[in-house]
Amino acid sequence: MCGIVGYVGNRSIVKTLLDGLKRLEYRGYDSAGLALLEADKIQVVKTIGKVKNLENRILNEYGEIEIAGPSAGIAHTRWATHGAPSERNAHPHLDSSGRFAIVHNGIIENYLELKSHLQGKGRVFVSETDSEVLAHLIAECYEGDLLSATAAALKKVHGTYGIAVIAVTDPGTIVVARHGSPIVIGVGNGETLIASDVSAIAAYTQRVIYLNDGDLAKITAETIDIRNIENIPVSREIAHIDWNPEAAEKSGYDHFMLKEICEQPEAVANAIRGRMDKGSATAILAGLNMTTREMAQVNRIVIAACGTSLHAGMVAQYFFEELASIPVDVEQAAEFRYRNPIIEPNSLVIPISQSGETADTLAAVREAANKGAIVAALCNVVGSTIARESGRGIYLHAGPEIGVASTKAFTCQVSVLLMMALLFGRNRRLSREDGLKIIDDVNSIPGLISQVLERKEAIEKIAKKYAGAKDFFYIGRGCLYPVALEGALKLKEISYIHAEGYHAAELKHGPIALLEAGVPVVALANNIPGKDKMIGNIQECHARQSPVIATATDGDNEIAGIADDVIWIPECSKFAAVVPTVVALQLLAYYIAKERGCEIDQPRNLAKSVTVE
Ligand code: AGP
């Protein structure tokens, strides 16, 4: 959840660190800081609030940003887990001598025990954080080699970490280590960068090394020495990241979220490109690395995910069960990891994660692997931990998703999952004709999204009408039921309005007691199976004076006649309808949040990647 950046090289270190932190702002944070390694001391500057505050503090203290002299620097944006947001709890943290500085992402579970031991040895702590113990511990373990001292210190630690360390003893050097929180090394020409997320360094290099759990590395401007915690050298390949830094900029949109909503036709086109074969009426998903026989032996699918990715998994249950007749369980990843799930050897476990770093989903991967399941991940970030530890799976190719509220990842996940269901269906009883129909459905998705995007002004008008509401309900049936959950999540995430998603039939089992004038209901009444029941649900809501915003298939005057407002969705199949409908709800949430003057890209309390449990 925290952001880490480090730099060694000939550029302005402060400017490079601040630039990196700004590219990590979307991860969510409450304070920021940096440490500069000078000849005989470490300078630390940290502030609460935005990175801009840190930049202003540096200007006030140094008079400029282009500070000459430091041989290395590390920086951090913090999302508080231990200790309230404050300057003294912000990272970097120093040891008592001020000769060692660290930044940390993760949780040190035995920090109180370590802190007590270190205080007993005279070490003075200044913060309430768990992370500070690392600075004192490394200083305690130092016997002349910074990487060895870091390894020795980390052997005493229980918990998760991605850390970067600098020390007066080692000019021009940064030591990094990872266990449970990502660290990536950017390989430059005469410069080396480190970060918790590739988006912080993509502007400087497209060549990166992803550390594995248990890896440490000592980096200088010219060298990268990677070892395991036993100080044995390990080799890690240099990956080439497939997106340019401009893609991670706003490209003229007011918010990353709107940019990412509007680039969904292209993102989905990238997700499906080259992955379907009309000749065989099936999908080509080589990343699954499964023979047709292995696929035929799968007798159960378990999907584990969180948040929006969980909703995509819920949609996929309808796809797999109808197209491939495979029973599917969809599990909240945290629940899956702790409830000792029943996994048989022929279970296929599909973790879904845009970031590929969500702690609970990563733990679900490990739980499934320990029980002998085939694990195939759906991730967007190439080389992410979940992708690498799953060993097989499918990348979304959606491009960087910077807005905390996930949009294009969801539509790409649903599109890929529909192709997976096609593949498994054609591996079983799905006919060639039906397979071709699914291929047409998938190919139609980018165009359906474009049609909805052309209607954003009408959606904005509806959004402005209801932006003052304090509560919303979203209801749907069939594979639009998870879309109702997703629409409610989008609204609450970015507008801070209380919104609940329900199966439409569930309303009368209690929630309907909350309906009254001023409590709008978004009813997903597209012309697909279940629409007739939705008519009854809309009337139930009206009987309680709730205004109804309905999604309806173009030309459906029956729905238009009973809803207060209609968001029109192009005619399409029941499976394809998931995507244009969710895009409409993304826009509805966006325009309501914009009308309310909300932050949108970095909503309060939220982070883009929940890398701690
Ligand atoms: C979605 O808008 C949220 N930002 C959040 O629910 C997110 O989907 C969830 O944290 C899972 O993230 P992942 O897909 O990166 O694992």
Side-chain angles (χ1 to χ4, degrees):
M1 308 272 265
C2 303
I4 290 174
V5 184
Y7 180 76
V8 191
N10 298 319
R11 298 175 198 265
S12 156
I13 291 184
V14 170
K15 192 169 176 304
T16 306
L17 294 176
L18 290 172
D19 175 53
L21 291 185
K22 286 173 185 169
R23 294 174 191 276
L24 292 179
E25 281 190 308
Y26 68 87
R27 291 172 68 99
Y29 65 99
D30 46 58
S31 51
L34 56 78
L36 304 173
L37 182 54
E38 296 180 1
D40 56 356
K41 65 180 182 300
I42 294 174
Q43 287 280 22
V44 173
V45 183
K46 39 192 188 182
T47 58
I48 58 172
K50 300 278 185 195
V51 172
K52 191 65 185 162
N53 298 356
L54 178 64
E55 190 168 4
N56 292 338
R57 175 72 61 83
I58 291 167
L59 281 169
N60 293 339
E61 292 194 8
Y62 291 86
E64 60 168 336
I65 293 296
E66 306 274 350
I67 302 167
S71 63
I74 55 177
H76 186 270
T77 53
R78 179 174 183 249
W79 190 80
T81 54
H82 293 68
S86 66
E87 282 195 22
R88 69 192 181 97
N89 287 336
H91 300 209
H93 290 293
L94 291 167
D95 78 303
S96 306
S97 72
R99 293 163 55 80
F100 296 84
I102 65 103
V103 290
H104 169 237
N105 182 16
I107 291 180
I108 308 297
E109 292 172 1
N110 62 330
Y111 84 97
L112 289 174
E113 171 201 333
L114 293 170
K115 185 170 183 174
S116 163
H117 165 77
L118 291 158
Q119 285 172 322
K121 294 203 158 186
R123 303 239 168 226
V124 177
F125 284 73
V126 297
S127 82
E128 304 159 296
T129 68
D130 56 332
S131 306
E132 188 184 353
V133 295
L134 294 173
H136 297 288
L137 209 47
I138 291 167
E140 181 84 6
C141 296
Y142 187 76
E143 295 174 349
D145 177 75
L146 187 56
L147 190 144
S148 303
T150 305
L154 293 175
K155 282 181 179 175
K156 301 173 191 287
V157 163
H158 304 307
T160 58
Y161 53 79
I163 67 167
V165 189
I166 55 175
V168 169
T169 53
D170 292 71
T173 301
I174 300 175
V175 166
V176 291
R178 79 151 279 171
H179 180 77
S181 292
I183 289 284
V184 60
I185 298 171
V187 185
N189 295 319
E191 60 183 6
T192 308
L193 303 98
I194 62 99
S196 50
D197 183 302
V198 73
S199 59
I201 56 179
Y204 301 93
T205 178
Q206 309 264 301
R207 302 165 66 229
V208 297
I209 297 171
Y210 293 95
L211 292 189
N212 287 349
D213 278 354
D215 286 355
L216 293 92
K218 177 188 277 189
I219 68 162
T220 67
E222 301 291 345
T223 61
I224 298 171
D225 175 13
I226 303 176
R227 297 177 179 254
N228 65 17
I229 200 137
E230 300 307 332
N231 208 17
I232 297 166
V234 294
S235 67
R236 294 282 176 255
E237 65 177 35
I238 295 179
H240 186 85
I241 44 179
D242 64 353
W243 47 269
N244 60 40
E246 288 65 43
E249 296 307 322
K250 289 184 197 171
S251 306
Y253 288 95
D254 288 344
H255 298 97
F256 279 114
M257 183 180 179
L258 184 59
K259 168 176 175 279
E260 288 149 13
I261 290 173
C262 294
E263 65 190 11
Q264 288 181 108
E266 180 194 352
V268 169
N270 290 337
I272 67 179
R273 183 171 294 115
R275 289 175 158 173
M276 288 180 289
D277 172 14
K278 283 211 162 191
S280 309
T282 189
I284 306 163
L285 301 170
L288 287 179
N289 196 19
M290 291 177 78
T291 64
T292 50
R293 183 163 183 74
E294 283 169 329
M295 283 196 287
Q297 288 169 339
V298 169
N299 61 13
R300 183 163 157 260
I301 290 175
V302 180
I303 295 171
C306 301
T308 288
S309 296
L310 178 62
H311 298 153
M314 292 172 72
V315 170
Q317 180 176 29
Y318 293 89
F319 295 167
F320 280 111
E321 292 194 350
E322 176 152 337
L323 299 180
S325 304
I326 301 175
V328 177
D329 293 316
V330 184
E331 301 244 13
Q332 207 288 338
E335 196 56 24
F336 177 88
R337 72 181 285 193
Y338 285 121
R339 72 179 190 82
N340 189 20
I342 298 170
I343 295 287
E344 297 101 0
N346 288 336
S347 296
L348 169 62
V349 175
I350 305 175
I352 302 176
S353 177
Q354 187 286 130
S355 63
E357 301 298 346
T358 299
D360 286 326
T361 309
L362 176 56
V365 168
R366 292 169 176 168
E367 178 71 12
N370 287 342
K371 292 181 184 282
I374 304 167
V375 182
L378 239 63
C379 292
N380 189 36
V381 177
V382 174
S384 57
T385 307
I386 289 171
R388 287 183 290 116
E389 293 206 11
S390 297
R392 67 176 86 205
I394 302 161
Y395 283 124
L396 300 182
H397 300 318
E401 186 177 72
I402 306 300
V404 166
S406 189
T407 50
K408 63 179 181 174
F410 178 83
T411 49
C412 290
Q413 287 164 347
V414 166
S415 303
V416 169
L417 287 160
L418 185 50
M419 290 191 291
M420 275 185 82
L422 166 64
L423 176 65
F424 278 85
R426 292 284 291 133
N427 180 250
R428 285 164 165 78
R429 296 295 304 131
L430 192 68
S431 70
R432 176 184 167 72
E433 291 69 27
D434 289 340
L436 290 173
K437 284 181 194 151
I438 298 298
I439 289 177
D440 289 344
D441 279 352
V442 175
N443 284 328
S444 72
I445 290 173
L448 291 168
I449 299 172
S450 298
Q451 289 182 67
V452 173
L453 294 175
E454 286 162 13
R455 303 169 184 184
K456 56 179 183 287
E457 286 75 21
I459 295 172
E460 183 174 14
K461 190 159 170 270
I462 293 172
K464 288 182 174 175
K465 178 175 173 184
Y466 293 96
K470 297 212 177 342
D471 299 283
F472 266 79
F473 279 83
Y474 287 69
I475 58 174
R477 289 173 178 264
C479 53
L480 292 183
Y481 160 44
V483 176
L485 301 181
E486 176 58 15
L489 176 61
K490 288 288 91 64
L491 185 67
K492 66 184 117 187
E493 269 194 292
I494 63 174
S495 73
Y496 311 147
I497 294 175
H498 170 249
E500 294 195 53
Y502 273 100
H503 189 283
E506 190 59 22
L507 266 190
K508 63 172 75 64
H509 297 282
I512 202 164
L514 295 175
L515 297 193
E516 58 187 8
V519 178
V521 175
V522 179
L524 308 186
N526 306 41
N527 189 16
I528 60 175
K531 174 204 151 184
D532 55 335
K533 301 293 183 195
M534 288 303 296
I535 291 172
N537 297 132
I538 290 171
Q539 285 158 344
E540 282 166 8
C541 298
H542 266 151
R544 278 79 184 175
Q545 285 76 50
S546 270
V548 174
I549 304 165
T551 62
T553 301
D554 285 352
D556 188 340
N557 295 320
E558 186 178 21
I559 298 300
I562 58 173
D564 295 86
D565 290 277
V566 177
I567 297 175
W568 295 106
I569 307 296
E571 175 88 41
C572 59
S573 75
K574 66 180 177 183
F575 287 159
V578 165
V579 174
T581 303
V582 81
V583 171
L585 301 187
Q586 292 166 357
L587 288 167
L588 181 66
Y590 174 80
Y591 286 121
I592 287 176
K594 188 176 181 185
E595 182 68 15
R596 293 166 66 97
C598 294
E599 166 68 44
I600 294 179
D601 280 335
Q602 300 158 28
R604 66 186 182 198
N605 307 339
L606 296 185
K608 181 62 183 172
S609 181
V610 184
T611 56
V612 293
E613 58 175 312

